[in-house]
Amino acid sequence: QVQLRESGGGWVQAGGSLRLSCLVSGRTYGSYAMGWFRQAPGKEREFVAGISWSGGSTDYAGSVKGRFTISRDNAKNTYLEMNSLKPEDTAVYYCAADYGGQRVEVRANKYEYWGQGTQVTVSS
């Protein structure tokens, strides 16, 4: 069983920064691309950022380009650095693994494993 757990969420003032972490544990085999999604109350879950298996390719939602950075290391950690945060960034943030995939995937239904989410609240 593959487990994902997010951490690093919290309260921050507009213009501030947070770094989210996602730890992948359990038995993992082969390749998997990683992504971050978010969901605000009353809204659909939306793609935020994705990173390929190699870490060489990334993609971002237009609303976060230039402010957020996704990265991963060799210790099964994926990160989302969030800068210049805005109130509209307030949401529960989820990390997800596209097991067997190597390319960046923006479609939520292509991800097999999901974390429980971490709340990010940006006050104005």
Side-chain angles (χ1 to χ4, degrees):
Q1 183 80 6
V2 176
Q3 306 287 332
L4 280 67
R5 187 177 69 179
E6 305 93 340
S7 62
W11 286 78
V12 65
Q13 291 181 306
S17 299
L18 286 174
R19 188 172 86 148
L20 305 183
S21 299
C22 177
L23 174 64
V24 178
S25 60
R27 294 183 176 180
T28 58
Y29 301 95
S31 62
Y32 54 95
M34 293 292 296
W36 287 94
F37 293 77
R38 67 187 182 188
Q39 188 167 23
K43 300 292 185 72
E44 292 281 293
R45 185 168 298 187
E46 64 176 349
F47 171 80
V48 175
I51 188 166
S52 64
W53 166 245
S54 70
S57 297
T58 59
D59 197 14
Y60 299 90
S63 59
V64 307
K65 282 184 179 178
R67 299 189 297 119
F68 290 11
T69 303
I70 187 172
S71 62
R72 67 190 301 169
D73 60 23
N74 293 321
K76 298 185 178 181
N77 287 304
T78 304
Y79 307 97
L80 185 68
E81 180 72 34
M82 305 185 293
N83 299 309
S84 301
L85 283 162
K86 305 174 181 179
E88 49 263 47
D89 294 318
T90 296
V92 177
Y93 283 71
Y94 301 88
C95 65
D98 173 18
Y99 210 80
Q102 296 190 40
R103 296 174 292 180
V104 176
E105 178 60 68
V106 304
R107 296 169 291 179
N109 63 1
K110 297 299 182 181
Y111 286 83
E112 291 85 6
Y113 301 99
W114 293 81
Q116 294 298 307
T118 186
Q119 177 71 46
V120 172
T121 303
V122 184
S123 62
S124 60

